[in-house]
Amino acid sequence: MHDIQKLKNIASQVRRDIVRMVHACQSGHPGGSLGCTDFLVALYFDAMKRKEGFDMTGKGEDVFYLSNGHISPVFYSVLAHAGYFDKSELATFRKLNSRLQGHPTTHEHLPGVRIASGSLGQGLSVAVGHAVGKKLDKDPNLVFSLHGDGELQEGQNWEAIMYASHNRVDNLIATVDYNGQQIDGPTSKVLSLGNLKTKFEAFDWKVLEVENGNDMEEILKVLDEAKSLTRKGQPICILLKTEMGYGVDYMMGTHAWHGKAPNDEQLQKALDQLEETLGDY
Amino acid sequence: MKKYTYTEKKDTRSGFGAGMAELTDKNPDVVGLCADLIGSLKFEKFIEKAPERFFQIGIAEANMIGMAAGLATEGKIPFTGTFANFSTGRVYDQIRQSVAYSGKNVKICASHAGLTLGEDGATHQILEDIGLMKMLPGMTVINTCDYNQTKAATIAIADYEGPVYLRFGRPVIPVFTDENQTFEIGKAWMVNEGKDVTIVATGHLVWEAIKAGEILKEQGIDAEIINIHTIKPLDSEAILSSVKKTGCVVTAEEHNRLGGLGDSVAQLLITEYLAPQEYVAVNDSFGESGTPDQLMEKYGLTANDIVAAVKKVMSRKSESL
């Protein structure tokens, strides 16, 4: 059974971490991080099968790749809460000599990170590669990945999408953060993605949708369904409709907070809105 | 001048194919990836022996590099194969982020490097790949001189942990190195000891350097010839000790004179031991269509060009004395 209240509490703590991390260094991407918080919490604290500790290969466990590396605050906070490293390290985010680089990297040997990401569009290929590697090893575990919707403007994704269906990479669940926003404005204005569902389906992927990607129950339900559909000959895509900046009212419904840090007053306002107070770094 | 002979000519890419075939038995973690150029890369025997460990990617080089990074994370040793141009320039950022910066054990294997790809012309003839790859922190850069050395290098890099760029070519060239050689990454190979000039060559220009050495000998010039198969890490010790003896150096490579082996040697000399240097390389130009021999001639990469460069560098040495 899913422990929904526990997951919601963790999500609130993660959101508080995000605004504080970005505030502390006055740099980073709070909008997408807040939008994906519920999904990443659901993934790491419910959906994924994880081993104790961390090894780079992830043999014998599910693995996750963050392709849209700019939402590193949520990734780092979730990894810390999941026990990969101490939560106190979150305070070093984007600061000199930190393992928590602006965009995630393996270069600093931070447990939990298996690939560098930040230059967009590369993560799906890596996830597909790891998924075929797991098949080669007869490892029954799954590969999960997360991508921005704007990131799908990078052509490499479509190379990977084509490869995965042609080769029946069916141990892969790729999720698109479908928030409709990118740095320069709404995705529909910058470069429209059209109908992503029919596009993925045309590439012979199984597509699942989450209408409210900030609703924990709905996310868990779709993740359960996605897992039940693996090993059936098709790669799986989840279109997760999130709200950028979710949980902080003045960051929602705009792309303005895609890559902007709150000031002291704005930080306090955000923390006041995020009700859970336990477990801050 | 030590005598080098050959009984046959072969393409270096076939050495890669033979090395890959041998790796199917030697190393179960080795996997092959290819972007629609199985025949060009000579992958057939590998596929025949280990079909489950081969991935046909299609014409999608960026995906190939990313998938290789994912396979490497799982503990596999991926060898990616396509033309040098599409192996490097086309996917520079993918190699930079997903392979080099991420420290993945991926072997980027590139055929048809340089001008001698021939008639296809400049779109397919990359002359900047050594520079691109050697600028990446942590990347090992290897450019082999004949069939046997390419085979040995292919087998050797599977045992080395870390990203490697392995460069080889299309034309058939003399096979003059030992069949059962061991390949030591980063260790220069002394082709001929001499005292008047150092010729540092890489790739199939090593054979041109040997021919040049024979011409020079007839003219009373005793050339020391070094085969630099590993451009990064550079065997600084071998080059420096030779140049300290001869007092001048000619570098020879099928690459743009900017950013290749010549620049690596120049950087070494300017910081460690000043000595005159001449480049035998393509003079900051794109290539064009033609037969490999015509192109070698036109772009100044033959034994005679090496001889001319030796004369020039030796006169500069005497001026500086």
Side-chain angles (χ1 to χ4, degrees):
Chain A
M1 271 305 288
H2 307 299
D3 188 343
I4 305 243
Q5 194 49 50
K6 179 188 139 202
L7 296 173
K8 284 182 172 176
N9 289 349
I10 297 170
S12 291
Q13 291 167 15
V14 168
R15 285 195 161 93
R16 289 175 62 92
D17 288 348
I18 291 167
V19 289
R20 290 175 58 160
M21 287 164 78
V22 175
H23 171 263
C25 62
Q26 282 297 295
S27 165
H29 297 78
S33 294
L34 292 165
C36 289
T37 297
D38 307 291
F39 175 73
L40 279 176
V41 168
L43 205 57
Y44 272 83
F45 293 91
D46 187 285
M48 274 167 64
K49 274 206 282 182
R50 294 189 288 121
K51 291 185 302 199
E52 279 294 307
F54 174 74
D55 64 56
M56 186 56 86
T57 66
K59 281 187 200 289
E61 66 176 333
D62 293 345
V63 298
F64 169 72
Y65 285 102
L66 179 71
S67 187
N68 45 337
H70 57 277
I71 64 164
S72 54
V74 60
F75 189 37
Y76 292 146
S77 172
V78 167
L79 289 178
H81 282 271
Y84 287 99
F85 54 87
D86 198 276
K87 289 200 276 285
S88 64
E89 202 168 342
L90 296 175
T92 69
F93 174 61
R94 282 190 175 229
K95 292 179 178 169
L96 195 64
N97 300 322
S98 173
R99 295 197 294 179
L100 279 59
Q101 291 289 294
H103 294 80
T105 175
T106 59
H107 208 251
E108 308 296 333
H109 307 292
L110 185 71
V113 183
R114 291 193 172 87
I115 197 82
S117 58
S119 175
L120 294 174
Q122 300 185 29
L124 188 55
S125 298
V126 178
V128 170
H130 203 143
V132 299
K134 278 199 178 295
K135 279 180 172 261
L136 206 51
D137 282 344
K138 301 196 170 19
D139 180 339
N141 294 288
L142 301 174
V143 177
F144 292 87
S145 61
L146 181 64
H147 314 266
D149 49 0
E151 191 185 4
L152 294 178
Q153 289 159 359
E154 293 280 6
Q156 183 181 346
N157 288 297
W158 301 95
E159 296 179 1
I161 288 164
M162 218 183 306
Y163 183 95
S165 53
H166 177 86
N167 292 285
R168 301 165 70 88
V169 183
D170 56 3
N171 53 343
L172 170 70
I173 299 173
T175 297
V176 178
D177 177 18
Y178 206 174
N179 63 19
Q181 303 284 344
Q182 56 193 110
I183 293 182
D184 277 351
T187 304
S188 57
K189 281 194 178 165
V190 176
L191 183 64
S192 176
L193 300 167
N195 187 330
L196 271 189
K197 183 170 190 281
T198 56
K199 279 183 177 163
F200 270 95
E201 281 172 350
F203 279 91
D204 205 19
W205 280 53
K206 178 73 187 167
V207 181
L208 302 173
E209 290 180 285
V210 182
E211 278 310 314
N212 183 353
N214 298 110
D215 181 299
M216 192 59 80
E217 286 91 338
E218 214 182 315
I219 294 168
L220 293 167
K221 201 174 135 214
V222 165
L223 281 170
D224 284 343
E225 190 185 354
K227 286 198 287 186
S228 75
L229 292 168
T230 56
R231 304 274 171 191
K232 295 190 193 303
Q234 275 182 301
I236 293 154
C237 165
I238 298 175
L239 297 175
L240 181 80
K241 290 183 183 160
T242 68
E243 176 90 46
M244 193 180 254
Y246 190 84
V248 178
D249 60 5
Y250 61 88
M251 290 188 183
M252 289 166 71
T254 170
H255 64 272
W257 291 89
H258 175 95
K260 186 171 123 179
N263 60 27
D264 293 352
E265 194 188 327
Q266 288 163 332
L267 171 69
Q268 199 47 56
K269 208 173 158 194
L271 290 174
D272 289 346
Q273 288 174 26
L274 298 164
E275 67 283 9
E276 176 65 48
T277 55
L278 297 171
D280 288 339
Y281 75 84
Chain B
M1 178 73 197
K2 203 171 156 186
K3 191 73 189 158
Y4 286 90
T5 54
Y6 65 92
T7 50
E8 60 177 338
K9 287 184 166 188
K10 276 183 175 177
D11 49 1
T12 47
R13 60 190 169 131
S14 287
F16 170 71
M20 287 303 291
E22 211 162 299
L23 282 171
T24 55
D25 303 322
K26 271 192 157 82
N27 195 327
D29 289 328
V30 167
V31 296
L33 297 85
C34 187
D36 194 35
L37 286 169
I38 289 169
S40 297
L41 271 289
K42 306 292 180 189
F43 261 122
E44 293 94 338
K45 277 191 189 135
F46 181 88
I47 298 169
E48 195 186 306
K49 290 179 76 177
E52 73 290 350
R53 281 152 58 188
F54 178 77
F55 300 94
Q56 168 62 275
I57 307 296
I59 310 166
E61 294 83 6
N63 186 44
M64 177 165 74
I65 296 298
M67 280 187 60
L71 279 156
T73 313
E74 176 70 14
K76 304 297 165 197
I77 307 170
F79 282 62
T80 67
T82 178
F83 288 178
N85 189 19
F86 315 132
S87 287
T88 58
R90 186 180 190 94
V91 289
Y92 186 74
D93 188 42
Q94 282 78 9
I95 296 174
R96 183 176 182 272
Q97 172 174 290
S98 294
V99 175
Y101 186 42
S102 293
K104 298 299 178 193
N105 190 21
V106 173
K107 317 303 172 187
I108 297 153
C109 305
S111 177
H112 295 57
L115 284 173
T116 49
L117 161 59
E119 291 81 351
D120 280 340
T123 55
H124 288 52
Q125 295 164 340
I126 194 162
L127 291 163
E128 311 91 68
D129 54 325
I130 291 174
L132 285 171
M133 291 299 105
K134 83 177 189 187
M135 280 195 293
L136 287 169
M139 182 67 76
T140 293
V141 179
I142 296 170
N143 185 31
T144 48
C145 69
D146 72 355
Y147 172 93
N148 286 339
Q149 193 175 68
T150 310
K151 183 180 172 192
T154 303
I155 293 164
I157 61 175
D159 289 332
Y160 167 81
E161 173 77 29
V164 174
Y165 178 56
L166 176 63
R167 179 196 212 235
F168 41 88
R170 181 194 190 198
V172 289
I173 52 172
V175 183
F176 62 96
T177 69
D178 288 346
E179 194 178 355
N180 297 313
Q181 64 188 283
T182 52
F183 185 89
E184 208 177 328
I185 294 170
K187 186 80 181 153
W189 180 50
M190 182 63 76
V191 178
N192 185 60
E193 291 191 25
K195 61 179 183 354
D196 297 329
V197 61
T198 301
I199 302 173
V200 174
T202 189
H204 70 105
L205 274 271
V206 174
W207 182 251
E208 296 300 316
I210 289 169
K211 287 199 288 183
E214 286 164 359
I215 298 168
L216 289 164
K217 188 191 166 197
E218 285 171 17
Q219 301 175 10
I221 296 168
D222 185 15
E224 180 143 299
I225 303 170
I226 302 173
N227 171 5
I228 297 287
H229 49 67
T230 308
I231 295 164
K232 186 187 176 188
L234 190 67
D235 190 343
S236 307
E237 210 180 303
I239 295 168
L240 280 175
S241 69
S242 176
V243 177
K244 280 176 184 170
K245 179 171 63 170
T246 63
C248 61
V249 61
V250 168
T251 54
E253 61 194 310
E254 189 188 5
H255 189 269
N256 193 326
R257 60 175 286 151
L258 303 176
L261 171 65
D263 276 1
S264 290
V265 172
Q267 195 173 61
L268 175 69
L269 296 182
I270 205 143
T271 50
E272 299 290 333
Y273 183 79
L274 275 179
Q277 178 183 344
E278 288 293 328
Y279 287 72
V280 171
V282 175
N283 190 21
D284 195 22
S285 152
F286 291 107
E288 66 180 84
S289 293
T291 68
D293 285 346
Q294 288 170 338
L295 292 164
M296 289 280 286
E297 187 83 31
K298 177 165 179 177
Y299 288 87
L301 303 177
T302 67
N304 288 333
D305 296 299
I306 296 172
V307 169
V310 165
K311 299 283 177 60
K312 199 172 168 192
V313 85
M314 284 183 67
S315 76
R316 286 176 57 208
K317 175 172 73 165
S318 61
E319 280 166 20
S320 65
L321 284 173

